[in-house]
Amino acid sequence: MKRRRKAVLSDGNAGYEEIDLREKLNLEFLRYSNLTHAAGEHDLPALACNTEVYPDYIALSGYPGQYHKTLLTAVGFWEYDEKFDGYDGLFNAIYYDREDLLERYRERFAGVRFFFTPDYSQFGEVGDIEGNYRLLKARVVGIWLAMELGAVVIPSITVPTPDSVGFALDGLEDCSVVAFSTKGCVNDPVERGIVKELVRLTVDKLDLRAIVVYDVCSTNDAVDDIFSYAREKGIEVIVPANALKERNIARREERHAKQ
């Protein structure tokens, strides 16, 4: 995206110089979204994920000390948005081409082999424009993580309602592995039902080999229920350890030991 204008050149002569409109119009994210193709009605940047090696531990982005707990640790963004999407968040660093901040993220995430695309919160009560934009942000960050760090990036499936799942899956047709989070839905029958329906719709649309789950419950009973349809279709459901899950399992075992 360049345009020419008349100017005095470095040799003192009049001529034309190029204006980089990508910078002038705050479109630096196109540097990454243009590395892939646009998909669906709203031209979401496509992602591909076909890893046959899966994470065995999930560290949250806010806890760098856990990033290398195992050789196959993945970093996820399942925290309140203010923790990873503030003024100095990764998307803003990409959007405004803040190279000093981007370099800090490169150093922070150095050596991480797996990431999940950020779970930018989406709600049915908020306008769909905002929800769609947050999905775009997740895709752009995912591309940055893959291209800048050489990491495997697993798309996290997030939607405000099952009705919007078609849009959320646009551009994931080349993915055989995706991720879900069950945090916050297990004890709410309505939310749990929504996630189960979302899993079904995702399985029916994508040709999946595996689903990776961020789950913090002390047992896998909820996972077995929520992802039963996926397992019936022959899809492997992987539930890596994480700090909250380990804590909750330890508490359950402690309670049982006291009985």
Side-chain angles (χ1 to χ4, degrees):
M1 298 183 65
K2 292 187 177 180
R3 180 176 295 171
R4 303 178 71 202
R5 67 179 176 186
K6 287 184 178 179
V8 177
L9 304 180
S10 58
D11 61 4
N13 296 319
Y16 290 89
E17 66 177 5
E18 291 188 338
I19 304 172
D20 189 343
L21 291 181
R22 189 170 62 190
E23 176 183 354
K24 295 292 186 184
L25 302 179
N26 278 344
L27 292 172
E28 290 292 346
F29 73 91
L30 293 177
R31 178 180 305 178
Y32 298 97
S33 62
N34 284 350
L35 295 174
T36 184
H37 67 273
E41 181 181 356
H42 297 285
D43 292 334
L44 274 179
L47 287 179
C49 180
N50 294 292
T51 180
E52 296 184 17
V53 179
Y54 308 118
D56 60 9
Y57 190 86
I58 297 176
L60 293 180
S61 63
Y63 299 88
Q66 297 181 359
Y67 288 2
H68 304 285
K69 187 176 177 70
T70 71
L71 290 176
L72 299 178
T73 293
V75 172
F77 301 80
W78 286 292
E79 300 153 290
Y80 284 117
D81 298 61
E82 65 177 358
K83 291 202 63 137
F84 63 85
D85 192 38
Y87 175 75
D88 288 332
L90 179 51
F91 179 78
N92 276 352
I94 298 168
Y95 190 84
Y96 293 106
D97 195 28
R98 299 173 60 187
E99 184 53 39
D100 58 334
L101 185 54
L102 289 171
E103 184 58 29
R104 281 161 50 191
Y105 277 108
R106 293 187 191 100
E107 294 174 359
R108 175 175 180 149
F109 293 137
V112 176
R113 298 179 63 182
F114 296 92
F115 290 91
F116 301 96
T117 55
D119 183 1
Y120 295 107
S121 300
Q122 300 175 55
F123 304 96
E125 296 86 354
V126 179
D128 61 352
I129 292 175
E130 176 65 23
N132 293 347
Y133 180 62
R134 292 186 176 207
L135 191 55
L136 168 67
K137 290 167 62 172
R139 296 287 178 89
V140 170
V141 169
I143 296 168
W144 187 91
L145 293 168
M147 300 307 299
E148 293 288 337
L149 303 177
V152 173
V153 178
I154 302 173
S156 301
I157 307 301
T158 59
V159 298
T161 67
D163 292 339
S164 55
V165 68
F167 171 76
L169 298 180
D170 283 343
L172 300 184
E173 292 80 7
D174 292 329
C175 291
S176 60
V177 183
V178 298
F180 285 87
S181 170
T182 63
K183 191 177 180 212
C185 80
V186 170
N187 295 321
D188 184 326
V190 174
E191 291 295 324
R192 185 165 173 161
I194 289 174
V195 176
K196 288 182 69 171
E197 178 66 4
L198 178 56
V199 169
R200 185 187 69 79
L201 293 169
T202 301
V203 167
D204 285 349
K205 180 168 182 177
L206 303 181
D207 185 15
L208 295 179
R209 179 190 307 119
I211 293 174
V212 183
V213 183
Y214 176 63
D215 178 78
V216 301
C217 296
S218 59
T219 72
N220 285 339
D221 294 346
V223 168
D224 293 340
D225 173 50
I226 292 170
F227 296 94
S228 58
Y229 184 79
R231 284 195 167 119
E232 289 170 3
K233 295 294 184 178
I235 296 168
E236 186 175 2
V237 178
I238 300 154
V239 189
N242 62 74
L244 283 178
K245 190 172 184 70
E246 289 180 334
R247 183 200 67 184
N248 290 336
I249 290 173
R251 286 180 175 177
R252 178 175 60 85
E253 291 176 348
E254 183 179 352
R255 288 195 301 269
H256 286 175
K258 292 178 179 178
Q259 292 177 354

